[in-house]
Amino acid sequence: SGQFLVTEKSGDLRLINADGSVSRPLSGLPDVAAQGQGGLLDVAVSPRFAQDRTIFWTYAKSVRGGLVTAAARGTLNTDGSLTDVTDIFVQSDPARNGRHFGSRIFPMADGTVWITTGDRGAGDSGDLVQDIDSTHGKVIRVNADGSVPAGNPFVGREGDDQIWSVGHRNMQGAAIGPNGDLWTIEHGPRGGDELNRPAAGLNYGWPVVGY
């Protein structure tokens, strides 16, 4: 208690104490691709952290073909190490540029996890934002173990089962509202940032509609 987990874009995760003292980088994180806007992104603790010591984070990951946004979970031990580290989401369709990774992550009390992804730069992946088989520019909803919740809108239909909503540009802001709804903020291309409350299966327009 009285500590904060803070990510550094370069790939380090640290604990900051209430007195302002900063820990050494925590050990056990996967390799982070700190390229362009990519790096170690968001971090959040489990709603049951006192019992399960689980934390979640998002990061830019190098895969065959380029870079993707990924989300992982692990156990934070009292010695500052992370163990049982595993990816729970890895974005499809890698891009070679270092732009627009998103990304926020919210583990929820019902065992689901919200993840926001960016469009990876509309220049080379804009069409993928409107593609329901691609995870570019989407709100993603998975279970804490990476499996797909039965209530996701594309389960049993055409499209990627992990997807909750479509047509987002670069969601780097998000929050859970008082009634438990997810709210997101995405950057517009030249101003025109959007505040959305993403609903299941809906399309929020990018890159067909923007500004």
Side-chain angles (χ1 to χ4, degrees):
S1 64
Q3 294 177 308
F4 302 86
L5 280 168
V6 176
T7 61
E8 295 181 351
K9 180 175 172 290
S10 59
D12 288 334
L13 179 65
R14 298 178 191 265
L15 282 166
I16 298 180
N17 299 304
D19 65 2
S21 58
V22 180
S23 76
R24 293 175 178 270
L26 305 185
S27 64
L29 280 174
D31 289 339
V32 172
Q35 301 179 36
Q37 297 171 354
L40 186 56
L41 303 170
D42 199 14
V43 64
V45 299
S46 161
R48 301 183 65 254
F49 179 77
Q51 291 78 40
D52 61 25
R53 301 285 302 181
T54 300
I55 67 170
F56 297 81
W57 62 93
T58 54
Y59 68 108
K61 181 182 180 78
S62 180
V63 298
R64 183 169 185 165
L67 305 175
V68 295
T69 298
R73 59 174 285 173
T75 301
L76 177 59
N77 301 302
T78 55
D79 65 359
S81 65
L82 286 164
T83 53
D84 302 319
V85 170
T86 183
D87 284 333
I88 63 170
F89 167 75
V90 178
Q91 188 178 46
S92 56
D93 302 304
R96 295 195 181 279
N97 69 55
R99 299 178 59 209
H100 294 195
F101 292 88
S103 166
R104 298 300 305 275
I105 188 165
F106 289 97
M108 304 298 289
D110 66 358
T112 61
V113 181
W114 295 110
I115 302 159
T116 70
T117 71
D119 66 353
R120 297 307 317 285
D124 66 1
S125 62
D127 291 344
L128 296 178
V129 179
Q130 288 291 315
D131 185 346
I132 58 173
D133 290 313
S134 169
T135 55
H136 284 221
K138 307 297 194 296
V139 172
I140 301 296
R141 182 174 177 255
V142 295
N143 292 315
D145 63 359
S147 61
V148 174
N152 276 12
F154 294 102
V155 171
R157 299 168 48 196
E158 184 180 356
D160 190 313
D161 290 350
Q162 301 170 105
I163 293 172
W164 178 260
S165 61
V166 178
H168 301 280
R169 187 169 182 265
N170 193 25
M171 294 173 286
Q172 290 187 313
I176 304 299
N179 65 352
D181 287 344
L182 175 72
W183 293 77
T184 63
I185 294 178
E186 62 192 82
H187 300 298
R190 291 175 296 277
D193 294 0
E194 286 184 17
L195 170 66
N196 292 311
R197 186 176 60 184
L202 291 195
N203 188 329
Y204 290 83
W206 182 255
V208 179
V209 179
Y211 195 48

